[in-house]
Structures are given as structure tokens and as C-alpha cells.
């Protein structure tokens, strides 16, 4: 199986959910830049400059590339050193970033060991899913919308209370879909397509059906 799996998709496409399933199944490291940024936000040891850069996240904008590379590359190297593969979830959100990651993979000698999986979803369905999902105030776990999760008020893992993620308000969701929706994703996917690194799955299906399609793809792209 490829060592680096890059999951691409609009906010709400299910990248995080699929990344967690794959990480558990294959013992891969799961790197969500959104999670790394939210962790930085609550880290008392984080520098004032780094914290200031997080304002962009709170307003639904992309944060500075330099911060993303610093956080993500360090994590990737640490998993590779442990002999683990890596799943990148939401870590690439512009063509510039895609190019910078590819340069990094070339430097590490692993560019042929990278597969990009596009979890395709319309902005409309992404919007609906984001307005309905929840996050645990305790451990930060994100619960995708399912009829079962909709009933829950506390986290299965830590017992923390389930709340709406602070950037999942209708206003900020709309902003994120403008800044990070399919219109912004298209040139990044085109870039990977030209390099022959890209495969697609239909993200509008149920979680388990998307997972099965991803599995098939992984077996076909060893
Ligand atoms: P997510 O949890 O993946 O929805 O990410 C939450 C927010 O973190 C996004 O709305 C962006 O503000 C920021 N973010 C996450 N990953 C990146 C990235 N690769 N480049 C720039 N900003 C990012």
C-alpha cells in the first residue's frame, strides 16, 4: 500500500471520518491540519505569533502556508521515522501547498509512494452535513451527522459534552465553502491529475460505502 495517502475533499466531505477508519485499520499516522491548529489554539505554550495566525481559521479563511508546513512536515517525518505510513486529512488546500508538499516528498524520496484520493461531494451536501455535525468539547473528536449521532449528547470516548464546532455556524460554513469549496478544489485536483496521482470516490454515499470504495482503490493502487 502507498505510504502517503492524501485525502482531498471540501469541508464536510468526510475526509476526517475516512482518515480515522484507515488509520485504525492500517496503523497509519493520521494528520489533520485542522486538528493540529485547534490544538495549537488551546496550547498554553504556543507563541503569540502562532496564536495570531489562528485568527484566520476562526473567520473561515485559510491560515498561513508557513504555519501549515511547519506543523505538518514535522508530524509526517515523525511518523515516517517510526516506520509508519501517513494519512493527510485536509492538509492541502491550494495549488501552492500541493506543490510545496510534493517538493517535500521528492526531498524525502517518496513521491512515487503518494496517492491522492478525492472524496467528491457537492457544496450543498457539505453545507448540510456541517450544520448537523458535532464536536466533543473534551477530546476534540468530531462526530459526523448520522441519525444515531444526532441523538447523542455526550462523547462515547471521554464522556465530554458534544457541542457545535465554533466554525460550524451557518455564516462561517458559507465562508469556508466559498474559500475551500469545489471551485477552490478543482485546480488542486487538476494538478494531481496531471501528475497521475489522483483517484476519485463518491463522497455522497454512506460512510461504510465510501470506506469500501477507498479499500478497492487502495488494492488497485499498491
Ligand atoms: P478542518 O478541521 O479541516 O475543517 O480545518 C479547520 C480550519 O483550519 C480551516 O477552515 C482552515 O482555516 C484551517 N486549515 C486547516 N488546514 C489548512 C491548510 N492546509 N491550509 C490552510 N488552512 C488550513
Amino acid at each position: 500500500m502507498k505510504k502517503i495517502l492524501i485525502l482531498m475533499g471540501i469541508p464536510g466531505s468526510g475526509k476526517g471520518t475516512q482518515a480515522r477508519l484507515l488509520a485504525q485499520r492500517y496503523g497509519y499516522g493520521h494528520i489533520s491540519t485542522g486538528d493540529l491548529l485547534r490544538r495549537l489554539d488551546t496550547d498554553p505554550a504556543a507563541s503569540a505569533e502562532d496564536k495570531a495566525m489562528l485568527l484566520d481559521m476562526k473567520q473561515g479563511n485559510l491560515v498561513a502556508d508557513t504555519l501549515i508546513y511547519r506543523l505538518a512536515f514535522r508530524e509526517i517525518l515523525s511518523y515516517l521515522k517510526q516506520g509508519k505510513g501517513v494519512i493527510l486529512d485536509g492538509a492541502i488546500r491550494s495549488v501552492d501547498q500541493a506543490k510545496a508538499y510534493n517538493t517535500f516528498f521528492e526531498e524525502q524520496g517518496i513521491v512515487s509512494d503518494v496517492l491522492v484520493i478525492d472524496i467528491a461531494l457537492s457544496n450543498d451536501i457539505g453545507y448540510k452535513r456541517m450544520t448537523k455535525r458535532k464536536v466533543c468539547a473534551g477530546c476534540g473528536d468530531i462526530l459526523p451527522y448520522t441519525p444515531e449521532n444526532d441523538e447523542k449528547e455526550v462523547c462515547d470516548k471521554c464522556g465530554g459534552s458534544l457541542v457545535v464546532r465554533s466554525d460550524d455556524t451557518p455564516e462561517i460554513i458559507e465562508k469556508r465553502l466559498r474559500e475551500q469549496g469545489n471551485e477552490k478544489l478543482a485546480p488542486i485536483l487538476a494538478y494531481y491529475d496531471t501528475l497521475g496521482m489522483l483517484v476519485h470516490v463518491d463522497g455522497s454515499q454512506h460512510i461504510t460505502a465510501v470506506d469500501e470504495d477507498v479499500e478497492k482503490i487502495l488494492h488497485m493502487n499498491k
Side-chain angles (χ1 to χ4, degrees), residues 80-134:
L80 291 177
K81 263 191 210 131
Q82 296 168 49
K84 289 188 177 183
V86 176
I87 300 159
L88 291 176
D89 155 16
I92 296 163
R93 304 199 192 203
S94 66
V95 175
D96 279 351
Q97 288 188 4
K99 289 181 178 167
Y101 275 79
N102 258 19
T103 304
F104 170 76
F105 294 136
E106 273 163 15
E107 283 163 7
Q108 300 303 318
I110 50 171
V111 76
S112 61
D113 220 358
V114 179
L115 182 68
V116 182
I117 305 173
D118 163 39
I119 304 184
L121 193 73
S122 70
N123 287 0
D124 281 354
I125 304 182
Y127 180 91
K128 282 183 196 127
R129 287 192 187 166
M130 279 189 279
T131 52
K132 290 178 161 188
R133 71 181 174 188
K134 299 172 186 174

Side-chain angles (χ1 to χ4, degrees), residues 46-200:
S47 72
E49 294 91 67
D50 282 0
K51 294 238 177 183
M53 288 202 242
L54 296 174
L55 282 177
D56 283 322
M57 174 171 81
K58 294 178 183 158
Q59 290 160 357
N61 295 315
L62 293 180
V63 308
D65 290 349
T66 48
L67 180 59
I68 295 296
Y69 304 151
R70 177 148 51 84
L71 294 174
F73 294 173
R74 186 178 56 199
E75 291 271 303
I76 295 172
L77 288 175
S78 137
Y79 283 122
L80 291 177
K81 263 191 210 131
Q82 296 168 49
K84 289 188 177 183
V86 176
I87 300 159
L88 291 176
D89 155 16
I92 296 163
R93 304 199 192 203
S94 66
V95 175
D96 279 351
Q97 288 188 4
K99 289 181 178 167
Y101 275 79
N102 258 19
T103 304
F104 170 76
F105 294 136
E106 273 163 15
E107 283 163 7
Q108 300 303 318
I110 50 171
V111 76
S112 61
D113 220 358
V114 179
L115 182 68
V116 182
I117 305 173
D118 163 39
I119 304 184
L121 193 73
S122 70
N123 287 0
D124 281 354
I125 304 182
Y127 180 91
K128 282 183 196 127
R129 287 192 187 166
M130 279 189 279
T131 52
K132 290 178 161 188
R133 71 181 174 188
K134 299 172 186 174
V135 61
C136 171
C139 66
D141 211 33
I142 290 173
L143 263 84
Y145 170 79
T146 61
E148 198 191 32
N149 284 346
D150 207 32
E151 305 277 298
K152 291 185 187 159
E153 287 176 4
V154 294
C155 175
D156 286 340
K157 288 187 188 148
C158 78
S161 51
L162 298 174
V163 296
V164 173
R165 207 172 99 175
S166 65
D167 58 352
D168 276 347
T169 63
E171 237 179 21
I172 301 182
I173 291 174
E174 276 165 29
K175 178 84 173 287
R176 279 155 72 210
L177 284 171
R178 272 198 307 276
E179 301 295 327
Q180 307 169 47
N182 280 303
E183 291 67 25
K184 295 290 163 83
L185 205 56
I188 314 175
L189 297 180
Y191 167 77
Y192 283 126
D193 201 20
T194 314
L195 296 176
M197 298 166 82
L198 184 68
V199 292
H200 305 272

